Protein backbone atom coordinates (compact mmCIF):
# COMPACT_ATOMS: atom_id res chain seq x y z
CA UNK A 1 0.00 0.00 0.00
CA UNK A 2 1.04 3.59 -0.56
CA UNK A 3 2.13 5.78 2.33
CA UNK A 4 1.67 9.56 2.20
CA UNK A 5 3.28 12.05 4.51
CA UNK A 6 5.73 14.91 4.85
CA UNK A 7 9.48 15.01 4.55
CA UNK A 8 10.80 17.55 7.05
CA UNK A 9 14.28 18.83 7.80
CA UNK A 10 15.39 19.25 11.40
CA UNK A 11 18.59 20.27 13.13
CA UNK A 12 19.29 17.78 15.88
CA UNK A 13 21.97 17.84 18.56
CA UNK A 14 22.31 15.70 21.71
CA UNK A 15 20.54 18.39 23.74
CA UNK A 16 18.14 20.08 21.33
CA UNK A 17 16.09 19.72 18.18
CA UNK A 18 14.89 22.49 15.87
CA UNK A 19 12.40 22.10 13.03
CA UNK A 20 13.54 23.81 9.82
CA UNK A 21 11.25 25.37 7.17
CA UNK A 22 11.99 22.81 4.44
CA UNK A 23 9.02 20.49 3.89
CA UNK A 24 7.71 18.42 0.98
CA UNK A 25 4.65 16.20 0.75
CA UNK A 26 5.32 12.81 -0.84
CA UNK A 27 3.61 9.50 -1.50
CA UNK A 28 5.68 6.30 -1.52
CA UNK A 29 4.42 3.03 -2.95
CA UNK A 30 5.22 -0.27 -1.25
CA UNK A 31 8.74 -1.36 -2.22
CA UNK A 32 9.45 1.93 -3.98
CA UNK A 33 12.71 3.88 -3.63
CA UNK A 34 12.13 7.57 -4.19
CA UNK A 35 14.72 10.35 -4.52
CA UNK A 36 13.45 13.70 -3.27
CA UNK A 37 15.50 16.84 -3.82
CA UNK A 38 15.56 19.98 -1.69
CA UNK A 39 17.29 23.27 -2.45
CA UNK A 40 18.95 24.41 0.78
CA UNK A 41 21.02 27.58 1.29
CA UNK A 42 24.71 26.69 1.37
CA UNK A 43 24.97 28.49 4.75
CA UNK A 44 22.49 25.99 6.22
CA UNK A 45 24.58 23.03 5.11
CA UNK A 46 27.92 24.55 6.11
CA UNK A 47 26.71 25.51 9.59
CA UNK A 48 24.57 22.45 10.36
CA UNK A 49 25.79 19.59 8.13
CA UNK A 50 26.37 17.18 11.03
CA UNK A 51 23.13 18.08 12.80
CA UNK A 52 20.75 18.01 9.83
CA UNK A 53 18.24 15.17 9.72
CA UNK A 54 15.53 14.32 7.19
CA UNK A 55 12.37 12.99 8.85
CA UNK A 56 9.30 11.34 7.31
CA UNK A 57 6.07 12.07 9.17
CA UNK A 58 2.55 10.78 8.72
CA UNK A 59 0.53 13.31 10.66
CA UNK A 60 2.32 13.66 13.98
CA UNK A 61 3.84 10.17 13.80
CA UNK A 62 7.53 9.90 12.88
CA UNK A 63 7.95 6.96 10.50
CA UNK A 64 11.62 7.28 9.55
CA UNK A 65 14.66 9.48 10.15
CA UNK A 66 17.85 9.58 8.07
CA UNK A 67 20.92 11.74 7.57
CA UNK A 68 20.56 13.45 4.17
CA UNK A 69 23.03 13.22 1.32
CA UNK A 70 24.31 16.48 -0.12
CA UNK A 71 24.92 17.19 -3.76
CA UNK A 72 26.21 20.55 -4.89
CA UNK A 73 24.26 21.96 -7.81
CA UNK A 74 26.98 23.95 -9.52
CA UNK A 75 26.20 27.33 -10.96
CA UNK A 76 28.03 28.28 -14.12
CA UNK A 77 29.68 31.70 -14.29
CA UNK A 78 27.29 32.80 -17.06
CA UNK A 79 24.18 31.28 -15.45
CA UNK A 80 21.35 33.32 -13.93
CA UNK A 81 20.07 32.21 -10.51
CA UNK A 82 16.29 32.64 -10.27
CA UNK A 83 14.43 32.08 -6.99
CA UNK A 84 10.65 31.68 -7.26
CA UNK A 85 8.11 32.19 -4.48
CA UNK A 86 4.86 30.58 -5.58
CA UNK A 87 2.41 28.10 -4.10
CA UNK A 88 2.71 26.06 -7.32
CA UNK A 89 6.01 24.24 -6.85
CA UNK A 90 6.75 23.95 -10.58
CA UNK A 91 6.06 27.61 -11.34
CA UNK A 92 8.63 29.14 -13.71
CA UNK A 93 10.53 25.85 -14.06
CA UNK A 94 10.35 26.30 -17.84
CA UNK A 95 13.07 28.92 -17.40
CA UNK A 96 15.54 26.09 -16.80
CA UNK A 97 15.23 25.44 -20.53
CA UNK A 98 15.77 29.06 -21.56
CA UNK A 99 19.01 29.77 -23.38
CA UNK A 100 20.26 33.11 -24.61
CA UNK A 101 21.13 32.82 -28.27
CA UNK A 102 22.98 36.09 -28.49
CA UNK A 103 23.40 39.51 -26.98
CA UNK A 104 19.96 40.72 -28.06
CA UNK A 105 18.46 43.79 -26.44
CA UNK A 106 15.32 41.96 -25.27
CA UNK A 107 17.34 39.46 -23.26
CA UNK A 108 19.93 41.95 -22.06
CA UNK A 109 17.12 43.95 -20.51
CA UNK A 110 16.51 41.09 -18.10
CA UNK A 111 20.17 40.20 -17.58
CA UNK A 112 21.37 40.73 -14.03
CA UNK A 113 24.32 42.66 -12.73
CA UNK A 114 25.66 45.36 -14.97
CA UNK A 115 23.81 44.14 -18.10
CA UNK A 116 26.00 41.00 -18.29
CA UNK A 117 25.05 38.41 -20.90
CA UNK A 118 24.00 34.94 -19.80
CA UNK A 119 23.62 31.50 -21.31
CA UNK A 120 21.02 29.78 -19.11
CA UNK A 121 18.96 29.99 -15.92
CA UNK A 122 19.06 27.96 -12.71
CA UNK A 123 15.58 28.05 -11.14
CA UNK A 124 14.78 27.17 -7.53
CA UNK A 125 11.22 27.18 -6.15
CA UNK A 126 11.24 27.90 -2.41
CA UNK A 127 8.72 28.59 0.32
CA UNK A 128 8.62 32.24 1.50
CA UNK A 129 9.95 31.26 4.94
CA UNK A 130 12.99 29.68 3.26
CA UNK A 131 14.01 32.99 1.72
CA UNK A 132 17.11 34.51 3.38
CA UNK A 133 16.24 37.34 5.75
CA UNK A 134 19.43 39.34 5.24
CA UNK A 135 19.98 41.53 2.19
CA UNK A 136 23.63 40.47 1.85
CA UNK A 137 22.61 36.78 1.63
CA UNK A 138 20.05 37.64 -1.07
CA UNK A 139 23.01 38.84 -3.15
CA UNK A 140 23.53 35.19 -4.17
CA UNK A 141 20.30 35.52 -6.19
CA UNK A 142 20.19 37.19 -9.62
CA UNK A 143 16.40 37.42 -9.86
CA UNK A 144 13.58 36.95 -7.37
CA UNK A 145 10.09 36.11 -8.64
CA UNK A 146 7.16 36.72 -6.29
CA UNK A 147 4.08 34.98 -7.65
CA UNK A 148 0.96 33.42 -6.19
CA UNK A 149 1.66 33.27 -2.45
CA UNK A 150 -0.17 34.27 0.69
CA UNK A 151 0.26 37.98 1.37
CA UNK A 152 0.98 37.25 5.03
CA UNK A 153 3.85 34.88 4.16
CA UNK A 154 6.16 37.84 3.46
CA UNK A 155 6.24 40.11 6.52
CA UNK A 156 7.01 43.81 6.11
CA UNK A 157 10.54 43.39 7.49
CA UNK A 158 11.30 40.76 4.86
CA UNK A 159 9.95 43.00 2.09
CA UNK A 160 12.18 45.79 3.41
CA UNK A 161 15.24 43.52 3.05
CA UNK A 162 14.15 42.56 -0.47
CA UNK A 163 13.90 46.24 -1.44
CA UNK A 164 17.36 46.90 -0.01
CA UNK A 165 18.65 44.04 -2.13
CA UNK A 166 17.04 45.47 -5.28
CA UNK A 167 18.58 48.90 -4.61
CA UNK A 168 21.97 47.18 -4.34
CA UNK A 169 21.61 45.50 -7.75
CA UNK A 170 19.01 42.76 -7.44
CA UNK A 171 16.26 42.07 -9.97
CA UNK A 172 12.67 41.36 -8.93
CA UNK A 173 9.77 40.14 -11.05
CA UNK A 174 6.19 40.76 -9.95
CA UNK A 175 3.04 39.88 -11.85
CA UNK A 176 -0.75 39.95 -11.79
CA UNK A 177 -0.64 36.83 -9.61
CA UNK A 178 1.38 38.64 -6.91
CA UNK A 179 -0.92 39.53 -3.97
CA UNK A 180 -2.13 43.17 -4.11
CA UNK A 181 -0.83 43.73 -0.56
CA UNK A 182 2.69 42.90 -1.75
CA UNK A 183 2.33 44.95 -4.96
CA UNK A 184 1.37 47.91 -2.77
CA UNK A 185 4.80 47.76 -1.12
CA UNK A 186 6.45 48.42 -4.50
CA UNK A 187 4.17 51.22 -5.74
CA UNK A 188 6.74 53.83 -4.78
CA UNK A 189 8.87 52.43 -7.60
CA UNK A 190 6.06 51.75 -10.09
CA UNK A 191 2.92 53.73 -9.14
CA UNK A 192 0.87 52.03 -11.87
CA UNK A 193 0.78 48.75 -9.90
CA UNK A 194 -2.95 49.29 -9.36
CA UNK A 195 -5.64 46.96 -10.65
CA UNK A 196 -7.49 48.39 -13.66
CA UNK A 197 -8.61 45.28 -15.57
CA UNK A 198 -8.58 45.25 -19.33
CA UNK A 199 -7.96 43.05 -22.37
CA UNK A 200 -5.37 43.33 -25.14
CA UNK A 201 -5.06 41.62 -28.49
CA UNK A 202 -1.52 42.91 -29.00
CA UNK A 203 0.48 39.77 -28.26
CA UNK A 204 3.60 40.79 -30.18
CA UNK A 205 5.72 40.50 -27.03
CA UNK A 206 4.76 36.82 -26.71
CA UNK A 207 5.38 36.25 -30.40
CA UNK A 208 8.86 37.72 -30.09
CA UNK A 209 9.72 35.60 -27.02
CA UNK A 210 8.27 32.33 -28.35
CA UNK A 211 9.60 32.95 -31.88
CA UNK A 212 6.28 31.65 -33.21
CA UNK A 213 4.13 33.50 -35.73
CA UNK A 214 0.91 31.94 -34.44
CA UNK A 215 -0.13 31.69 -30.78
CA UNK A 216 -2.85 29.47 -29.25
CA UNK A 217 -4.61 32.57 -27.86
CA UNK A 218 -5.91 35.73 -29.53
CA UNK A 219 -6.20 37.98 -26.47
CA UNK A 220 -5.14 38.15 -22.83
CA UNK A 221 -6.56 39.73 -19.68
CA UNK A 222 -4.47 42.55 -18.23
CA UNK A 223 -4.02 43.54 -14.59
CA UNK A 224 -3.74 47.22 -15.58
CA UNK A 225 -5.02 48.21 -19.01
CA UNK A 226 -2.75 51.29 -19.09
CA UNK A 227 0.42 49.18 -18.90
CA UNK A 228 2.10 47.06 -21.60
CA UNK A 229 2.45 43.32 -21.14
CA UNK A 230 5.91 43.81 -19.66
CA UNK A 231 7.22 46.83 -17.75
CA UNK A 232 10.66 47.61 -16.37
CA UNK A 233 11.68 50.19 -13.79
CA UNK A 234 15.27 50.97 -12.86
CA UNK A 235 15.67 51.12 -9.06
CA UNK A 236 19.07 52.11 -7.73
CA UNK A 237 21.45 49.52 -9.18
CA UNK A 238 18.65 46.98 -9.66
CA UNK A 239 15.43 46.60 -11.61
CA UNK A 240 11.76 45.90 -11.03
CA UNK A 241 10.00 43.88 -13.72
CA UNK A 242 6.22 43.58 -13.94
CA UNK A 243 4.31 41.01 -15.99
CA UNK A 244 0.91 42.60 -16.54
CA UNK A 245 -1.00 39.31 -16.71
CA UNK A 246 -1.52 36.13 -14.70
Amino acid sequence: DAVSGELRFASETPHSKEALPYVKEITVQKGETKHVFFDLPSEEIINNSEALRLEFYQGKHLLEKVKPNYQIREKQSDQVTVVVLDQHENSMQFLNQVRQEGAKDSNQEAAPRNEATWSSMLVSNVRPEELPTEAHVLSNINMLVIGDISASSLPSEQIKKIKEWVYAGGNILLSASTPPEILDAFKEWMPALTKQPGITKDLSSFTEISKKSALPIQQIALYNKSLPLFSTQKVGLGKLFFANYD
Side-chain angles (χ1 to χ4, degrees), residues 61-73:
H61 181 55
L62 176 62
L63 300 181
E64 189 64 59
K65 177 171 63 175
V66 298
K67 187 172 181 178
N69 294 318
Y70 304 112
Q71 179 180 1
I72 297 175
R73 185 161 66 150

Side-chain angles (χ1 to χ4, degrees), residues 196-207:
Q196 297 179 18
I199 291 177
T200 183
K201 294 184 178 180
D202 181 5
L203 305 180
S204 55
S205 296
F206 288 133
T207 303

Side-chain angles (χ1 to χ4, degrees), residues 70-184:
Y70 304 112
Q71 179 180 1
I72 297 175
R73 185 161 66 150
E74 294 186 359
K75 174 179 177 295
Q76 305 300 319
S77 59
D78 57 352
Q79 193 172 49
V80 174
T81 298
V82 181
V83 169
V84 180
L85 305 182
D86 198 288
Q87 65 173 326
H88 307 289
E89 63 178 21
N90 293 319
S91 177
M92 309 296 286
Q93 283 294 321
F94 72 91
L95 292 175
N96 279 315
Q97 308 304 318
V98 172
R99 298 290 186 275
Q100 186 184 34
E101 297 181 356
K104 297 181 180 180
D105 289 344
S106 60
N107 275 340
Q108 283 194 350
E109 180 67 17
R113 311 294 184 197
N114 302 320
E115 307 299 322
T117 57
W118 48 272
S119 66
S120 62
M121 296 186 180
L122 182 64
V123 180
S124 296
N125 292 70
V126 305
R127 293 150 58 111
E129 59 266 31
E130 296 173 15
L131 193 69
T133 56
E134 297 298 329
H136 71 277
V137 180
L138 286 168
S139 64
N140 295 317
I141 302 170
N142 296 116
M143 177 172 283
L144 175 64
V145 180
I146 303 180
D148 184 8
I149 60 173
S150 167
S152 61
S153 63
L154 273 186
S156 58
E157 187 61 28
Q158 178 78 0
I159 292 178
K160 178 181 177 182
K161 295 298 182 182
I162 291 172
K163 295 174 79 170
E164 290 176 5
W165 165 73
V166 175
Y167 268 117
N171 297 277
I172 187 168
L173 171 63
L174 307 176
S175 71
S177 63
T178 307
E181 296 89 341
I182 294 178
L183 290 178
D184 285 345

Side-chain angles (χ1 to χ4, degrees), residues 92 94-95 106-107 109-110 143 145 172-176 190 192-193 200 202-210 215 217 220-233 240-246:
M92 309 296 286
F94 72 91
L95 292 175
S106 60
N107 275 340
E109 180 67 17
M143 177 172 283
V145 180
I172 187 168
L173 171 63
L174 307 176
S175 71
M190 192 177 284
L193 293 180
T200 183
D202 181 5
L203 305 180
S204 55
S205 296
F206 288 133
T207 303
E208 181 180 350
I209 293 172
S210 65
L215 296 173
I217 56 174
I220 192 169
L222 299 177
Y223 181 80
N224 186 316
K225 60 186 178 182
S226 67
L227 292 176
L229 282 174
F230 302 99
S231 301
T232 306
Q233 178 63 50
L240 165 64
F241 299 89
F242 181 64
N244 191 24
Y245 59 94
D246 188 350

